[in-house]
Amino acid sequence: MNTASPPSLRARKKAETWSAIHEAAAGLALERGVEGATVEAIATAAGVSQRTFFNYFPAKEDAVLGMRAPSLDPELLEGFSLEHDLLGQVSRLLLAVTRSAYAGRDAERRRQLLEDHPSLGRRRHELTLEAEALVRRTLAELLAADPEWSAGIGEHRVDDVARMLVILSGVPLRFAITAEGYSPAHGLPAEDHESALTLFHRLQEKL
C-alpha cells in the first residue's frame, strides 16, 4: 500500500512555477528560435521575475528543454550488489539517473527543438555527463567501502575502476539508442535495454 503523503502546498507551487517557466520557454523557442527566447521574454510570458527564473533554471536552454540537474534517488541503490551482474546494474542505474534530468514530459516537442536547434544538444550532452559523473562518484564510494574492491585494480585506484565501469555500462545504452527504429520521442523501452545488455554479456563470454 502506498503510504506516501501528498506533496505540500509549497511543493505544488514550486512545481507549477517550474512548469510555467518551461512551457513559456519551449513555446517561445518554437515561435522565435532559441536566440529570440530571451530570459526576459520567458520570464514575462511565465509571469515571473528574472530572479525567479534563475531560482529554477541555471540557463535558458534548461528551461527550453525542460531539463534539470540529474539526481540519484537513494531507492535506486536498494538491492544494489557488487557481487553479481555489476555492469548490468550500473547500466540500469546510469539510465535512471540520466532520465532524472528530463523533467519536462513532452518528449516529441523536445525532439523537435533539438532537431531545429542543434545548439541545444550541447546542453543536453553536458547534463548527460553530469549524470555519468554522479553515478561514477556513487559507484566509487560503494567500491571503496568494499574490501574486495577498495584497493582498486593493479596501479589503478577505485576512482579509475568506477570510471571504467561507468564507461562500459554506457555501451549497451548507446547500442540501444542508435538502433534502427529507436524513437527519441518515445524513449528507450526497458526490453530494448535488457536485450542490449544480454548481447553485451554474451559478447563478453566470447571474448
Side-chain angles (χ1 to χ4, degrees), residues 132-145:
E132 291 179 356
L134 178 54
V135 173
R136 185 177 69 247
R137 291 193 300 270
T138 301
L139 184 57
E141 292 175 1
L142 293 173
L143 294 173

Side-chain angles (χ1 to χ4, degrees), residues 38-41 43-44 48-57:
T38 63
V39 170
E40 180 181 6
T44 298
V48 301
S49 67
Q50 292 186 55
R51 180 177 180 179
T52 296
F53 174 95
F54 286 111
N55 285 337
Y56 284 84
F57 294 96

Side-chain angles (χ1 to χ4, degrees), residues 160-195:
D160 293 330
V161 175
R163 186 162 68 93
M164 181 65 80
L165 283 169
V166 170
I167 291 172
L168 286 172
S169 72
V171 171
L173 290 171
R174 179 159 181 79
F175 177 85
I177 66 175
T178 56
E180 185 178 354
Y182 168 74
S183 169
H186 294 98
L188 178 60
E191 57 268 25
D192 289 357
H193 183 212
E194 293 301 321
S195 175

